[in-house]
Amino acid sequence: MKKLIIAIDGPAGAGKSTVGRQLARELGYTYIDTGAMYRALAWKALQSGIPLDDEARLTRLAETSRITLTGRPDALRVFIDGEDVTEAIRTLRVGEAASRISAIPGVRRAMVAEQRRIGRRGGVVMEGRDIGTRVFPDADVKFYLDADLEVRARRRWEEERARGRRVSLEEARREIQARDARDRERRDSPLRRAEDAIHIDSSTRTVQEVVNQMLAFIHQKN
Ligand code: DC
């Protein structure tokens, strides 16, 4: 069977990571979480004290940092310049910083080039905001995964609580809304559904239901 490139895009909290991991596992494909790459870079910028609006320094940082994703889909580890940041990047602060630096064209250029290099041979499930529109406009199958704001906010809130952090549902909702607005309104590769992407709403579906629906579309292609 041909090794496909499968793109999943959508807003924060739509379930892209959970679904993407499971899908990759069932297909025996590599899972690439591109948001983790932007988060790793944002983490490094915060660590290094680089202001999040310093486009020149952030572009240089993106061009010179080595970000690697290793391990199986359900045990993916994220490294930047050899440092394991898997857990450190999963905070609201890093998510917000990632959203800010991802609006910088030089940062995106470096990340997109690396994502194309990783995915070009196929056999990948790649998720993010611009996979079907920019990174792989010719992807074999494109999905746009969405869910109601309330559902997404609650998922984010539950994730934070599971990590032992105390945030209110209201804070989680505000964070998701702010990130959505920024990711949709930036000039370079804003979040939007590619015209040929299959729209799936995960609000009232289980992970397995969404994965099965995706597999049905994929099998039509292969
Ligand atoms: O999916 P995530 O929450 O881990 O992504 C963090 C931020 O990174 C997101 O708010 C916007 C940015 N991002 C992007 O601009 N393009 C991608 N392909 C993936 C993420």
Side-chain angles (χ1 to χ4, degrees):
M1 276 220 265
K2 192 181 158 213
K3 292 224 156 223
L4 306 178
I5 296 177
I6 297 171
I8 307 178
D9 290 301
K16 300 186 299 296
S17 300
T18 316
V19 162
R21 278 199 186 98
Q22 174 85 2
L23 184 66
R25 199 163 47 217
E26 297 201 17
L27 291 166
Y29 278 18
T30 303
Y31 164 68
I32 311 289
D33 174 357
T34 62
M37 298 172 69
Y38 287 96
R39 282 172 182 265
L41 196 67
W43 177 87
K44 181 108 191 180
L46 293 169
Q47 271 313 89
S48 319
I50 302 177
L52 299 179
D53 56 0
D54 189 334
E55 301 205 2
R57 281 180 75 191
L58 290 165
T59 297
R60 210 169 325 117
L61 189 73
E63 288 167 351
T64 55
S65 300
R66 189 170 158 65
I67 300 170
T68 45
L69 305 176
T70 62
R72 291 202 318 272
D74 42 2
L76 198 74
R77 301 215 69 84
V78 186
F79 293 82
I80 184 158
D81 296 332
E83 186 156 357
D84 187 338
V85 293
T86 312
E87 278 84 32
I89 60 173
R90 299 294 163 194
T91 66
L92 293 182
R93 181 161 173 258
V94 174
E96 147 99 20
S99 174
R100 288 183 60 186
I101 66 161
S102 70
I104 300 171
V107 167
R108 299 204 72 81
R109 211 178 313 117
M111 295 290 116
V112 168
E114 179 62 10
Q115 289 152 13
R116 286 184 179 149
R117 196 188 62 74
I118 299 171
R120 65 173 184 245
R121 288 202 189 83
V124 292
V125 173
M126 191 174 282
E127 61 107 330
R129 304 291 189 289
D130 62 339
I131 312 305
T133 53
R134 169 97 190 269
V135 181
F136 287 112
D138 298 325
D140 298 287
V141 188
K142 300 180 189 177
F143 295 105
Y144 188 86
L145 192 62
D146 206 347
D148 297 339
L149 172 64
E150 229 18 69
V151 173
R152 295 189 291 117
R154 189 165 285 274
R155 283 179 187 157
R156 191 44 47 95
W157 180 56
E158 280 165 4
E159 254 172 50
E160 288 298 309
R161 290 205 312 172
R163 292 196 175 101
R165 300 198 195 107
R166 287 155 58 111
V167 288
S168 66
L169 180 56
E170 179 52 34
E171 278 172 304
R173 186 187 300 117
R174 271 206 307 271
E175 187 259 349
I176 291 249
Q177 267 178 316
R179 218 132 67 78
D180 273 5
R182 200 181 298 111
D183 295 346
R184 288 198 165 103
E185 286 159 21
R186 68 175 176 231
R187 290 174 62 176
D188 187 352
S189 318
L191 167 66
R192 63 177 179 82
R193 183 172 85 84
E195 272 171 27
D196 51 351
I198 299 151
H199 187 279
I200 298 181
D201 192 308
S202 72
S203 304
T204 58
R205 290 195 176 93
T206 65
V207 173
Q208 194 60 53
E209 282 168 348
V210 174
V211 169
N212 289 346
Q213 198 180 352
M214 289 179 164
L215 283 170
F217 281 110
I218 292 164
H219 292 318
Q220 282 173 15
K221 288 261 176 180
N222 212 8

